[in-house]
Amino acid sequence: MLVLTRRLGEAITIGDEIKIVIVDLDASQVKIGIEAPRSIEVYREELYEKIKGHGFKHGSTKKDENTSV
């Protein structure tokens, strides 16, 4: 695992299409923003594990684009 240190407003770039930005910090949480093509699915880990466990196929779940990550 690659571990990086970032400050508020700084970003990490993955390849040419994915950018992760530190949006907000407080005592117990880090809020990140993710810029990626719509063709790349982005899930919180616990939701992804639930999807995998139920055998959902790509595109068979409705994603709420306004859900906080």
Side-chain angles (χ1 to χ4, degrees):
M1 173 187 301
L2 173 64
V3 178
L4 301 172
T5 301
R6 299 280 71 203
R7 296 174 196 247
L8 186 62
E10 293 183 336
I12 297 166
T13 302
I14 301 172
D16 293 330
E17 299 183 316
I18 301 171
K19 183 176 181 180
I20 300 172
V21 181
I22 306 305
V23 176
D24 193 19
L25 301 168
D26 68 32
S28 63
Q29 288 187 330
V30 175
K31 290 187 181 178
I32 61 172
I34 302 169
E35 296 175 16
R38 290 196 179 270
S39 61
I40 297 176
E41 295 180 345
V42 177
Y43 297 102
R44 291 174 287 141
E45 183 178 32
E46 65 276 14
L47 180 58
Y48 181 73
E49 293 299 324
K50 195 179 279 190
I51 290 168
K52 276 181 29 180
H54 285 93
F56 291 112
K57 302 274 190 227
H58 170 75
S60 66
T61 61
K62 182 176 179 184
K63 292 185 284 185
D64 180 359
E65 294 181 12
N66 296 319
T67 301
S68 294
V69 182

